[in-house]
């Protein structure tokens, strides 16, 4: 079955600090037209940083849309749609946790909510960690925590860790460790 | 460290078909104020439906924000913020794949992109499947596929399956099966 859609026209709704919103009219496979709301975003990077003691670094951060403190692996936005994801991951890990890493392994990409959002999140595992000073942005407030990998996996299975990129990247690290590939 | 933020004021930017966008001014822990862009959404549900032959049901769907066909587990939006997630999951599985299930296991929640988006995705595993007719919405076009669980896990590890909820739910199903809990 043909399932492709074609853009017919675009209307810009909002051009913000983090997101841009447009509303398109699209041609559907059956010849009808439909409205498609699209969030644009520069894309982000997250890092599952594993210590020699098999602990992962986490940040606890107030997340305004949920009015909750959310436990996540270190992550951040790209400065532009052109920034190299690995360079962004290295910067965010250093700024949020003070850590640098000797080894970086790509864990693939993540589409957070593909129905209406075009954000891409690149995931990395980082090992061979060295610790320095946190360098937080002026409007960034977070606490860093180390959690043993097995405990983090259990916190994901029990529903205690809810963030999408954290669930995906940590479970990938767990399976790669089990297979001897990390 | 205090990391809480307080809403000071809200401005509605867009009230759309699938998403709503507002821009708030928030009080930061250091006494400064900042702008917070927030996407609101009714929330969604996804279902990792496992056959007696250990295959998972997938849908391949054109995702407009990426202009790509994306491989995902069956999923859909809640009709309202009040709809019971399990009822929504049952409906979406039946509509997209024609399947009903004897057993439903909650796999926890997912926050797809907590920096700016308030969407919650509830995840379920469904087993004891019975197959009937697909009942797609008028503007919904997708192809259904069965993929063995182990192959799906490998497709996630290799970066071939990119959707966030699919990565999280399928890797949870894999670990629960390994532990004899599913």
């Amino acid at each position: 079955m043909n399932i492709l859609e074609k853009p017919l026209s675009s209307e810009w709704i909002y051009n913000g600090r983090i997101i841009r919103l447009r509303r398109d009219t699209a041609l559907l496979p059956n010849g009808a037209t439909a409205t498609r709301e699209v969030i644009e975003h520069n894309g982000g990077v997250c890092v599952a940083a594993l210590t020699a003691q098999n602990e992962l670094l986490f940040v606890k951060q107030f997340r305004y849309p949920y009015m909750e403190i959310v436990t996540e692996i270190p992550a951040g936005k790209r400065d532009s749609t052109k920034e190299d994801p690995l360079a962004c991951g290295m910067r965010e890990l250093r700024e949020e946790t003070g850590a640098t890493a000797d080894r970086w392994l790509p864990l693939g990409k993540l589409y957070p909510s593909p129905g209406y959002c075009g954000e891409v999140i690149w995931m990395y595992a980082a090992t061979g960690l060295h610790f320095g000073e946190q360098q937080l942005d002026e409007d960034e407030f977070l606490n860093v925590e180390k959690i043993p990998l097995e405990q983090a996996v259990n916190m994901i299975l029990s529903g205690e860790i809810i963030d999408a990129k954290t669930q995906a990247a940590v479970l990938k690290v767990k399976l790669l460790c089990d297979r001897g590939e990390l």
Side-chain angles (χ1 to χ4, degrees), chain A:
Chain A
M1 174 162 87
N2 168 35
I3 58 175
L4 302 183
E5 300 177 5
K6 272 192 207 157
L8 293 177
S9 65
S10 252
E11 176 196 0
W12 281 97
I13 308 279
Y14 179 71
N15 191 350
R17 206 172 64 95
I18 297 180
I19 55 177
R20 302 171 288 280
L21 170 62
R22 58 175 223 268
R23 184 168 53 185
D24 285 12
T25 301
L27 180 65
L28 303 185
N30 63 359
T33 58
T35 297
R36 294 285 177 249
E37 297 161 339
V38 179
I39 298 288
E40 295 191 3
H41 184 282
N42 287 347
V45 182
C46 67
V47 182
L50 197 62
T51 70
Q53 291 74 41
N54 238 24
E55 299 157 321
L56 285 165
L57 302 188
F58 286 89
V59 297
K60 289 194 162 193
Q61 204 172 350
F62 184 78
R63 289 306 204 172
Y64 192 87
Y66 299 103
M67 291 288 154
E68 278 173 27
I69 293 170
V70 179
T71 301
E72 304 169 45
I73 55 175
K77 291 176 293 295
R78 294 198 295 173
D79 286 338
S80 77
T81 55
K82 298 211 171 108
E83 189 183 19
D84 174 53
L86 178 57
C88 173
M90 290 176 167
R91 181 186 68 236
E92 292 292 341
L93 180 65
R94 193 180 61 243
E95 288 180 358
E96 292 195 345
T97 71
T100 55
D102 293 334
R103 289 174 297 281
W104 290 80
L105 177 74
L107 295 176
K109 294 190 296 185
L110 197 76
Y111 290 171
S113 199
Y116 60 88
C117 178
E119 181 183 2
V120 176
I121 300 174
W122 285 265
M123 301 181 284
Y124 291 91
T127 57
L129 302 182
H130 307 275
F131 288 92
E133 287 288 310
Q134 256 182 335
Q135 298 155 351
L136 296 178
D137 290 342
E138 254 181 53
D139 67 346
E140 198 171 33
F141 304 89
L142 53 84
N143 293 318
V144 178
E145 239 177 61
K146 289 179 194 165
I147 302 176
L149 173 59
E150 288 301 321
Q151 186 185 336
V153 169
N154 287 335
M155 290 168 75
I156 292 171
L157 291 178
S158 72
E160 216 175 320
I161 290 178
I162 302 180
D163 175 51
K165 63 187 176 298
T166 303
Q167 293 197 27
V170 170
L171 295 183
K172 281 188 178 193
V173 164
K174 157 72 175 160
L175 287 170
L176 291 173
C177 283
D178 285 355
R179 294 179 176 199
E181 293 172 18
L182 185 78

